[in-house]
Amino acid sequence: MSFAPSWRKPMVKTATDVYTGNSSLVAAVQRTGIANLHPRSYSSIGLFARYDGNIVGGLLLGAGMMLAGACPGTVLAQVGVGVRSGYYALGGAALGGIAFIRYIQPHMTSCAKQSPAPKGEIRTVHEGLGVPRSVVFLAFEAVCASVIAATAVYTTVGPEAKISPILGGLLITSAQLISVLLRGSLIGTSTSFEEIGHWFWDLFKGDLLPKKYTNLLFVAAMSAGAYLTSKVFPALGEVSELAVSPFSATLGGFLMIIGARMAGGCTSGHGLSGISLLSISSFLSIGACFVGGGLMGLLLG
């Protein structure tokens, strides 16, 4: 598996379209006060720095995504349309949530108690730089627009892309808007696997029903939406099977959820929502995610 297989060609442009739309949407929501959206705080695992959880978690998230051929969100769409490797990745992700709750979250909770977030903690890029939010927002939008222009000029959308990346970006941004209006929060998927972990260990206490399930409902609807879309528009459900072995998919699913929860978010929670809020932790997490994915891609050859 190479670092940039053909099925990933449109992803850079789609991701950039999503960043552009999401950041504009979040800026509008914050300005109008429709919902109270808070930038993401740091995540610590007590190793070397306040943001070490974001960095180490991001590395694991990227490595796991490369192995699984999916992120914590897209694996749900894969299951919805019947991609075989998606089922293995989902199983590994569930195991990752179970292991995280038992072995990693208690340690992270202890770290948070020993080193709580200081009052007036700087959470955003513009606060850290001491400049108005609008300055950083416009700079970020300019970078996104430049990437879109470059990919439009120098790359092509391959036959594996069923819809335009621009349309894909608009649809995801629309989902973000609906989430804000109906749930009062931004999109995030990896928390659902944490809820699976809680549910698993609560079963040993005799609790048959999950105590927390809002994100489980959200991701179940994502998978159902992919399934229904593939039935209504069969051409959209015709996807090429990814060259991912069951072992690689399972291990990748496990690592990406361990990493995502360690970092406090995944490619949707940090990559879409957190970066749109200009959260420092989100930029660090997603930057580490790209590094982890790149290193794993080089290792796999």
Side-chain angles (χ1 to χ4, degrees), residues 29-54:
V29 169
Q30 289 180 308
R31 189 172 294 111
T32 58
I34 295 175
N36 190 16
L37 306 177
H38 298 286
R40 291 176 173 258
S41 182
Y42 68 90
S43 180
S44 176
I45 54 176
L47 288 181
F48 55 84
R50 187 178 295 276
Y51 288 94
D52 55 0
N54 298 106

Side-chain angles (χ1 to χ4, degrees), residues 42-274:
Y42 68 90
S43 180
S44 176
I45 54 176
L47 288 181
F48 55 84
R50 187 178 295 276
Y51 288 94
D52 55 0
N54 298 106
I55 296 171
V56 175
L59 290 170
L60 290 175
L61 171 61
M65 286 170 56
M66 180 57 65
L67 286 169
C71 72
T74 56
V75 69
L76 300 164
Q78 288 183 352
V79 170
V81 298
V83 175
R84 187 179 61 175
S85 64
Y87 294 104
Y88 293 103
L90 181 64
L95 291 175
I98 292 169
F100 175 80
I101 293 301
R102 181 74 171 187
Y103 302 107
I104 301 177
Q105 189 182 61
H107 171 71
M108 294 182 65
T109 301
S110 176
C111 289
K113 290 180 178 179
Q114 294 175 9
S115 180
K119 292 183 178 180
E121 175 196 2
I122 295 176
R123 296 188 178 188
T124 63
V125 175
H126 58 279
E127 289 174 339
L129 296 176
V131 299
R133 185 186 189 281
S134 58
V135 173
V136 177
F137 170 75
L138 291 175
F140 180 61
E141 289 289 295
V143 171
C144 290
S146 298
V147 173
I148 291 173
T151 53
V153 172
Y154 297 108
T155 66
T156 59
V157 177
E160 68 279 354
K162 302 299 181 180
I163 61 175
S164 164
I166 295 176
L167 177 58
L170 289 173
L171 289 173
I172 294 176
T173 302
S174 299
Q176 187 77 280
L177 175 60
I178 293 173
S179 178
V180 170
L181 294 177
L182 298 184
R183 305 195 310 154
S185 63
L186 296 173
I187 287 175
T189 58
S190 65
T191 305
S192 60
F193 295 98
E194 190 172 310
E195 290 178 350
I196 290 175
H198 280 295
W199 188 11
F200 177 84
W201 295 112
D202 285 344
L203 287 174
F204 291 95
K205 302 176 184 178
D207 298 327
L208 299 181
L209 298 177
K211 295 178 180 178
K212 299 178 180 180
Y213 55 84
T214 54
N215 276 278
L216 280 173
L217 291 176
F218 178 75
V219 298
M222 285 179 60
S223 189
Y227 171 79
L228 292 174
T229 300
S230 69
K231 296 303 179 183
V232 176
F233 304 101
L236 297 179
E238 295 174 357
V239 295
S240 301
E241 282 289 340
L242 309 181
V244 180
S245 69
F247 175 78
S248 179
T250 304
L251 177 60
F254 180 85
L255 290 178
M256 70 183 180
I257 294 304
I258 291 291
R261 298 320 306 150
M262 190 181 292
C266 61
T267 45
S268 54
H270 273 311
L272 299 183
S273 303

